[in-house]
Structures are given as structure tokens and as C-alpha cells.
């Protein structure tokens, strides 16, 4: 790390231009080869996936995206001459628009079923020539404009579908800007220096920009959902700014200790830089652990976020040293630069120099060091209170119901939500999520069996309608559309899918060669949810095990990794509790512009687990690494915990506030899935730091005493050594201010096993 830091510092202009060339080059490539995202769910070996493959054998042209134009008249009927004439002209114009393969009008010979029973609502199906992720935005916007032109005071016209959602999406640029500006304000308050405040922003933006551009290029070679760049930006900005913050903070301490710019920067990279590498690697490992689930949809999102995090780490250890070299002492506040200049002019040995009381990070006593002393004196009451608060916030997780959001969860004012509501009101709540039964009919004798199945479906509880498409001569595959009586997100629809697969369909197949598969988008979403639920415990076990192993390697301890894992699980509980309260119970979801109450998107908890495990481990690493550094120097557990807690408290809290601001800025963008990530991550990160890292972790470590650093001999011999905090600083290089006396701590409580063989068991 030191060698790399010194090279980037000495060749700072070359490093800066290399990063600029990388960003510009990736931007040119991305502009030439526009990203192609794919939002299709793929669940290997599931019944719904097999139904899709079977359906493609007879409908190979059904690969284009299907959207809809829905219109409703409050007076009269949609078949009135004026309405019919206006909408027919509109549909004719849409049919001639670029990118449209066909338009199925309700006014055609086969369109009677596209008019609601009360005659006030109708819809037309638009089929594009390409999938939604590949449709040019200008083509989708042209179709939306043609439909908008048909609106009148008495005629409501709305559009639904994936392509329409892309066309009407306002974009997320302002969200990122709000988060960055909030982070800049927090950094300014912490550092009291414009230079120091801007550096983490520049580093984070550079890392995120390269990561997102690489993600766009990857979309040509693998399936990536359209939400991947937004999620990558959300995670990358949060961690990128925080990683640079930790390094800049350590660099400022080195400057204030009298080190040269290069030496301070090298020391910062050798200590905080190592922690950044370890923390970033933990996030990447946790995200890539999602590949164990074997779901392409999640693999793409995880890889995109992991690549962006990796690029932010690269920016922190290469670009940041170059920028620090350019700014020199401008990363210090004016008061600090003045004090440093006065010391250099005095020629006094820096160990005996006393800085002004309010000189920044070098001061002995501030609110965080005083709080660390209070936690040391009375750890148990504070620990119980923190644990109780976390338990209350996590309590809603007991009613967690995972599912899939749809247009019914779009903002009320959006055209996709209006179209969804019109169809539900005119044709029934299940109309927005029909099931497709794809039947393989090998022999003509199975025709009556298929007819009996349709009749049985019509009398099955939970089925509003069932209709079989005519089977052309010679064709061996038939399609039966089943409309549930309940909405796609309702538990009743999931129960119906299960009932059809276990009872109704097997009974119809018995004694025949008929083979029926239950498919459709609603069934595919249900299969996706089931697959995740079955694989989730294994995924949690993998990342928890890897996290324990990494922390054991870093801190040579058994208890520290176990405490870290317990804290991470508490943080996840708080995240899920917030998700349930806001999105499943609907506490404020409409006010946030993300629709009404509904199930939590099934893949969101999985992604949140991966992201949160990495992020909360970051804070554990930065907190414990400073404690471990002090323990290595002194062998005094109480001092190590108190010093590590007090010295890292300010920067960790600032980092958490910055990350919460970045995550929180994505909540109000009108995209439910991104808002779910924003709420879960913003709430949990704040609680993680304020209650767990600032109270519960140090309280537990005071209680366990030196047992925190105990490791069995056999593990100590077998495990390789990994240094997170680098070489400990000697006392001669630290610019110590005048300390204030602390009250004597309470006697140490022995919760630990024997550790007399520990190299630091005797305090100096």
C-alpha cells in the first residue's frame, strides 16, 4: 500500500490524467454501444420457465414487449361513435409508429373481450418489435405522445407496460445530486476545510462513474436488469465517499503530527487504506455471494454493484493520494494550518507541543471521547437500552411477506398506475395478472380432457374466468388463460397457483397424455419468490461464515467476529422492520410517491442482506482496527476500547450520516424498488452506527475484557496473518494535546477464558 501511495503521489498529474482518460474512454465506448438491459426473470427448472419455453415453440414471435392503451369514459360507452372514431384514429397512428409490430384493437372482429362488461373501459394491446430493455426511449416516448393526444375532458387515456414505464421515467440524476450535496455539507462541518470536503466527493464520483460505465458495457454480454446502474450508483456513492473520508481523516492527523505531505499520505494509506481494502473486499465478497443463489436476475445486480464498489476502492487508493498531493496542507482548516505553521517556526519538539483546544482531530477531549468514557464506566445499562431499541424497530419483520411489486405500486399520478387501476376496476382485480396454462396435447383424444380442464377451472375457487384459445389443426400446444379473482400481489393468487399445480391440473392429466404447465408473469414471480425463500438460509450462512473468517484473520480473535456477526444480524432486522412498516404496512409509502401497501419485493431483502453485511462490517473494521492497534501497543483492553471508540467515533458517525444522506436521496424518486433499498439502507446504517457501534459493541468489549483478543493456539498457528491497521504508530510521531483526566474505570469484569499465553496479556 505504501509503495502504491508514494508512486501515485509522486506521479500525481499522470495519475489524474489516467483517471480522466479512463472515464472519458469508457464514456465514449458506452455512448457508441448503448446499454441493453434485460428485466426478464429467469428461474432455471421452474414450472413457469418451462411453460415459457413450451409456448415459444408455437409462438416464436411473442418476444416483443406487450404494452397497453387503456381508455375510460365517465359518460356513455366506449363504443359510442365519437369515442370509437377518436380512439380508432389514435390506434392507427400508433400502429404506424416506429418499433410497433402490431396493435390489437377492441373495435376489431376479435376485440369484444377487450371491452369491460359495463362498456365504460376498453384497452388495446400494443406489441413492440423488441423487448422492453432494447426499445429505444424515443420510440416509446413517441407512442406515449400519440396516446396522450387522444385525451379529452370526458375521455381518460392511460398507458401501461414496461416500455411505457421507461418512457415516462423522469430519471434519477437529481437524486444523486441531492445526496452528493448533503454529503458535501456534512464533510464541510466535519473537516472545516473546502479541500478536505471536496476530495471524498471527487473520489466517490470518479469510482462510481467508471463502475456504472463498465456496467453499461457488460449489459451487452450478460443479462442485467435496468435497475442495475441505479443500485450500483446508490451503493457506490455511499461507500466511495466514506472510504475516501477515512483516508483523508487519517492523512489530516498525520499532517497535524508534523509529518510531510507524502509521509502523512503514506501513513494514511498504510493504516486507513488497508482498512478500506479490507472493508471494500468484504462488500464485494458479500455481493458476489449472491451467485450461490443461481438466479441470473440477481447475479447481474450483484455484479454491477460489486464492480462499482471495487472501482471506488481503486479510486480511494490511487486517485485520492494524487489529489492529496495536489492540495498539500489545504486539507486542513485555517486554524489548523496556522497552528502547524507556528509549530514549525518555533522549532519545538512536536511531542511537547500543545495545540489549541479546538484544533480538530488531535484534540484530546470532545463529545465522542467523553461518550467513550461514559460507556466504559456504565456499559450494561446503555447496552440493554440499545438492544431494546433495535428489537422494537425490528419487530415488524415477524410479519414480513415477500412478493413482487407491479404497476399497482406506482405513484398514484403515473399513467401506468392509472391504467392498472382502470383495468382492475373494469375487468376485475385479477385481470392485471392472468395465469397462462400451457398444455401439451400429444393426441387428438386428449382434446376432451382439455375441455374438461377448462370447465373445471371455471368452477375452481379463486378463478374469475378461464378461456382456452382455439387449437389450430396439427398444433400440439394449447393455451388457457385463467383470470384470478384476486390481485397479482394477493396471497390468494399464490394459493390459487399452488392449488392448480397440486390438485386441479394433476386431476385433469390423470389417465391421459395431456401435460399442463402453469405459467404467466404472475406464476413466474411466485416461482421466483419461492426459489429465493428456499435458498436464502444457505446464502446467509455463506456470507456469515466468510465474514467470521475474514474478521478472525484480521484481528486474531474469536469473540470479535462473533460480536460483529451478531451486530450485523441486528442491523438486518432493523432494515427489514423498516421495509415492512413503510412498504408492506404502507406507513408513508404514498407520501414518498412509491404507491400503496404491498408485499416487499422478494429480491430486495436478499440484496439488502448482501449490501448491509458488507457495509456494517466496514464500520466494525474501522472501529475494531483502531482498538486492535491500541491493544497491540499497550495490552490494556479498557484503554484500547476507549481510545478506539473515542477516536473513530466522529469519523464513523460522519460516514454514517453521509451514507444515510446518499441512500435517503434515492427514496423519493418514484421507483418503488429503489425506494425500498433507500429506506432499508438509510435507516439501518444510522441505527447500526448510533446504537450498535457507538454503544453496544464497546459496551460488550469492555465487559469481555482481554478475552476479546483471545485466539486458541491451534487457530493462531493455522490461520495466516493479515494486517488491517498496518504498522502501529510510535508515540514519537503523535502530536499529543494536553489530556484531561478521566474518572477511574470500574474494575474489569472477567467474562473471558484463560489467556495467559497471549503476547499482550501483561499491560505495559
Amino acid at each position: 500500500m505504501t509503495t502504491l501511495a508514494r508512486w501515485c503521489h509522486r506521479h500525481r498529474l499522470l495519475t489524474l490524467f489516467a483517471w480522466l482518460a479512463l472515464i472519458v474512454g469508457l464514456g465514449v465506448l458506452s455512448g457508441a454501444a448503448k446499454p441493453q438491459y434485460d428485466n426478464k426473470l429467469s428461474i432455471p427448472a421452474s414450472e413457469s420457465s418451462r411453460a415459457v419455453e413450451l409456448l415459444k415453440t408455437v409462438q416464436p414471435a411473442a418476444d416483443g414487449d406487450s404494452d397497453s392503451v387503456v381508455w375510460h369514459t365517465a359518460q356513455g360507452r366506449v363504443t359510442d361513435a365519437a369515442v370509437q372514431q377518436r380512439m380508432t384514429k389514435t390506434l392507427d397512428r400508433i400502429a404506424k409508429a416506429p418499433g410497433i409490430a402490431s396493435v390489437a384493437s377492441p373495435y376489431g372482429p376479435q376485440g369484444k373481450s377487450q371491452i369491460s362488461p359495463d362498456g365504460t373501459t376498453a384497452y388495446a394491446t400494443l406489441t413492440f418489435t423488441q423487448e422492453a430493455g432494447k426499445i429505444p426511449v424515443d420510440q416509446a416516448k413517441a407512442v406515449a405522445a400519440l396516446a396522450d393526444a387522444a385525451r379529452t375532458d370526458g375521455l381518460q387515456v392511460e398507458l401501461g407496460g414496461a416500455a411505457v414505464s421507461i418512457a415516462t421515467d423522469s430519471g434519477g440524476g437529481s437524486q444523486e445530486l441531492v445526496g452528493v450535496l448533503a454529503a458535501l455539507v456534512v464533510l464541510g462541518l466535519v473537516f472545516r476545510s473546502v479541500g478536505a470536503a471536496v476530495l471524498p466527493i471527487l473520489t466517490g464520483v470518479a469510482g462510481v462513474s467508471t463502475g456504472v460505465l463498465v456496467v453499461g458495457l457488460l449489459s451487452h454480454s450478460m443479462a442485467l436488469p435496468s435497475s442495475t446502474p441505479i443500485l450500483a450508483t446508490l451503493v457506490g456513492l455511499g461507500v466511495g465517499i466514506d472510504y475516501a473520508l477515512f483516508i483523508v481523516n487519517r492523512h489530516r492527523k498525520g499532517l497535524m503530527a508534523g509529518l510531510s505531505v507524502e509521509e502523512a499520505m503514506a501513513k494514511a494509506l498504510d493504516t486507513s487504506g488497508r482498512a478500506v481494502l479490507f472493508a471494500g473486499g468484504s462488500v464485494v465478497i458479500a455481493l458476489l455471494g449472491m451467485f450461490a443463489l443461481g438466479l441470473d436476475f440477481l447475479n447481474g445486480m450483484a455484479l454491477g454493484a460489486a464492480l462499482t464498489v471495487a472501482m471506488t476502492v481503486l479510486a480511494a487508493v490511487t486517485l485520492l493520494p494524487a489529489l492529496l498531493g495536489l492540495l498539500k496542507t489545504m486539507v486542513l482548516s485555517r486554524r489548523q494550518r496556522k497552528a502547524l505553521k507556528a509549530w514549525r517556526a518555533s522549532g519545538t519538539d512536536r511531542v511537547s507541543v500543545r495545540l489549541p483546544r479546538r484544533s480538530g482531530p488531535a484534540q484530546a477531549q470532545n463529545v465522542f471521547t467523553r461518550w467513550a468514557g461514559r460507556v466504559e464506566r456504565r456499559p450494561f445499562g446503555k447496552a440493554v437500552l440499545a438492544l431494546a431499541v433495535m428489537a422494537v424497530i425490528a419487530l415488524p419483520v415477524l410479519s414480513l411477506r415477500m412478493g413482487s411489486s407491479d404497476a399497482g405500486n406506482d405513484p398514484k399520478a403515473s399513467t401506468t398506475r392509472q391504467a392498472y387501476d382502470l383495468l382492475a376496476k373494469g375487468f376485475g382485480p385479477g385481470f392485471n395478472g392472468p395465469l397462462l396454462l400451457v398444455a401439451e396435447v400429444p393426441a387428438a383424444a386428449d382434446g376432451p380432457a382439455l375441455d374438461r380442464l377448462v370447465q373445471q377451472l371455471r368452477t375452481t375457487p379463486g378463478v374469475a374466468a378461464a378461456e382456452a384459445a382455439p387449437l389450430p389443426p396439427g398444433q400440439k400446444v394449447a393455451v388457457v388463460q385463467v383470470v384470478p379473482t384476486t390481485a397479482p400481489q394477493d396471497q390468494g393468487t399464490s394459493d390459487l397457483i399452488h392449488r392448480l399445480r397440486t390438485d386441479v391440473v394433476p386431476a385433469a392429466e390423470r389417465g391421459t397424455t395431456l401435460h399442463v404447465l402453469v405459467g404467466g408473469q404472475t406464476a413466474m414471480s411466485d416461482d421466483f419468490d419461492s426459489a429465493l425463500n428456499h435458498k436464502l438460509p444457505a446464502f446467509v450462512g455463506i456470507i456469515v461464515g466468510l465474514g467470521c473468517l475474514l474478521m478472525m484473520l484480521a484481528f486474531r480473535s474469536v469473540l470479535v467476529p462473533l460480536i460483529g456477526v451478531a451486530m450485523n444480524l441486528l442491523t438486518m432486522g432493523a432494515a427489514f422492520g423498516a421495509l415492512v412498516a413503510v412498504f408492506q404496512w404502507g406507513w408513508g409509502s404514498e407520501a414518498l410517491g412509491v404507491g400503496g401497501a404491498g408485499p416487499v419485493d422478494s429480491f430486495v431483502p436478499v440484496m439488502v442482506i448482501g449490501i448491509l453485511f458488507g457495509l456494517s462490517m466496514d464500520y466494525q473494521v474501522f472501529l475494531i482496527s483502531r482498538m486492535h492497534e491500541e491493544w497491540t501497543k499497550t495490552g490494556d483492553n479498557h484503554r484500547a476500547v476507549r481510545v478506539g471508540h473515542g477516536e473513530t467515533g466522529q469519523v464513523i458517525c460522519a460516514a454514517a450520516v453521509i451514507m444515510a444522506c446518499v441512500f435517503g436521496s434515492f427514496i423519493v424518486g418514484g421507483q418503488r424498488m429503489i425506494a425500498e433499498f433507500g429506506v432499508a439502507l438509510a435507516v439501518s446504517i444510522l441505527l447500526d452506527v448510533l446504537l450498535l457501534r457507538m454503544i453496544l459493541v464497546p459496551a460488550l468489549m469492555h465487559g469481555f475484557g482481554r478475552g476479546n483478543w483471545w485466539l486458541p493456539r491451534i487457530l493462531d498457528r493455522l490461520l495466516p496473518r493479515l494486517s488491517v491497521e498496518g504498522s502501529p504508530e510510535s508515540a514519537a510521531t503523535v502530536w499529543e494535546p494536553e489530556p484531561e483526566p478521566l474518572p477511574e474505570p470500574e474494575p474489569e469484569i472477567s467474562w473471558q477464558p484463560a489467556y495467559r499465553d497471549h503476547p499482550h496479556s501483561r499491560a505495559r
Side-chain angles (χ1 to χ4, degrees), residues 130-163:
Q130 301 183 77
E131 298 175 359
K134 300 178 181 179
I135 297 172
V137 176
D138 57 346
Q139 290 185 2
K141 286 186 175 180
V143 171
L146 290 172
D148 289 343
R151 288 193 179 104
T152 65
D153 291 340
L155 182 64
Q156 181 182 358
V157 182
E158 308 293 347
L159 297 100

Side-chain angles (χ1 to χ4, degrees), residues 403-438:
S404 297
S405 61
D406 52 28
N409 299 116
D410 289 348
K412 277 186 175 181
S414 66
T415 186
T416 50
R417 171 69 177 275
Q418 295 292 327
Y420 184 97
D421 290 344
L422 287 176
L423 290 174
K425 184 177 179 180
F427 297 89
F431 187 80
N432 286 296
L435 306 177
L436 294 181
L437 273 60
V438 184

Side-chain angles (χ1 to χ4, degrees), residues 93-138:
R93 294 191 188 101
I94 292 176
K96 297 174 184 177
I100 295 294
S102 64
V103 175
S105 171
Y107 302 124
Q110 307 295 327
K112 185 177 180 181
S113 61
Q114 295 172 233
I115 300 175
S116 64
D118 62 4
T120 61
T121 305
Y123 71 93
T125 301
L126 317 180
T127 303
F128 285 83
T129 56
Q130 301 183 77
E131 298 175 359
K134 300 178 181 179
I135 297 172
V137 176
D138 57 346

Side-chain angles (χ1 to χ4, degrees), residues 343-665:
W343 166 75
R344 285 174 175 166
S346 68
T348 310
D349 182 78
R350 61 178 174 271
V351 173
S352 62
V353 171
R354 298 294 179 254
L355 288 178
R357 293 284 308 155
R358 302 177 63 83
S359 58
Q363 66 190 36
Q365 289 293 295
N366 57 32
V367 63
F368 295 98
T369 54
R370 288 193 292 271
W371 175 251
R374 292 192 184 100
V375 172
E376 179 185 7
R377 291 193 297 274
R378 295 202 189 324
F380 302 111
K382 295 178 176 64
V384 171
L385 179 61
L387 191 60
V389 173
M390 291 295 290
V392 169
I393 295 173
L395 198 58
V397 75
L398 298 177
S399 62
L400 174 66
R401 184 169 72 87
M402 294 192 292
S404 297
S405 61
D406 52 28
N409 299 116
D410 289 348
K412 277 186 175 181
S414 66
T415 186
T416 50
R417 171 69 177 275
Q418 295 292 327
Y420 184 97
D421 290 344
L422 287 176
L423 290 174
K425 184 177 179 180
F427 297 89
F431 187 80
N432 286 296
L435 306 177
L436 294 181
L437 273 60
V438 184
E440 193 171 10
V441 190
D446 293 324
L450 181 62
D451 294 336
R452 288 194 297 272
L453 172 60
V454 174
Q455 294 299 324
Q456 178 64 33
L457 288 170
R458 289 170 178 166
T459 59
T460 299
V463 174
E467 192 69 35
L471 187 63
Q475 185 170 301
K476 302 296 184 181
V477 177
V479 179
V480 180
Q481 178 172 285
V482 177
V483 178
T485 58
T486 52
Q489 295 180 350
D490 288 352
Q491 183 62 42
T493 303
S494 296
D495 295 340
L496 175 62
I497 294 171
H498 180 73
R499 190 183 309 119
L500 293 179
R501 287 174 172 172
T502 57
D503 297 331
V504 179
V505 169
E509 292 176 337
R510 196 172 297 119
T512 70
T513 57
L514 188 69
H515 181 55
V516 182
L517 299 171
V518 179
Q521 186 61 47
T522 303
M524 186 169 290
S525 297
D526 192 74
D527 287 344
F528 187 78
D529 301 341
S530 299
L532 280 181
N533 288 334
H534 283 97
K535 296 181 178 182
L536 191 58
F539 169 64
V540 174
I542 289 173
I543 63 171
V544 166
L546 287 174
C548 274
L549 179 60
L550 287 173
M551 296 194 73
M552 192 176 294
L553 289 174
F555 302 118
R556 320 298 298 178
S557 167
V558 173
L559 276 175
V560 167
L562 294 178
I563 291 173
V565 168
M567 299 304 104
N568 293 349
L569 293 176
L570 284 173
T571 302
M572 292 175 196
F576 294 164
L579 278 175
V580 171
V582 175
F583 296 95
Q584 186 175 318
W585 294 353
W587 290 4
S589 60
E590 289 286 4
L592 293 175
V594 292
V600 176
D601 282 287
S602 55
F603 59 88
V604 169
V606 179
M607 291 292 296
V608 166
I609 288 173
I611 296 170
L612 263 187
F613 196 89
L615 296 183
S616 57
M617 185 179 286
D618 287 358
Y619 293 117
Q620 184 79 348
V621 167
F622 287 113
L623 177 65
I624 302 299
S625 62
R626 184 64 187 93
M627 294 179 181
H628 189 252
E629 182 181 346
E630 193 68 23
W631 164 256
T632 304
K633 288 162 55 179
T634 66
D636 184 339
N637 177 73
H638 279 305
R639 173 180 170 82
V641 175
R642 184 181 68 249
V643 170
H645 185 192
E647 289 191 6
T648 60
Q650 182 183 31
V651 69
I652 287 179
C653 286
V657 172
I658 289 171
M659 200 172 283
C661 289
V662 172
F663 293 154
S665 66

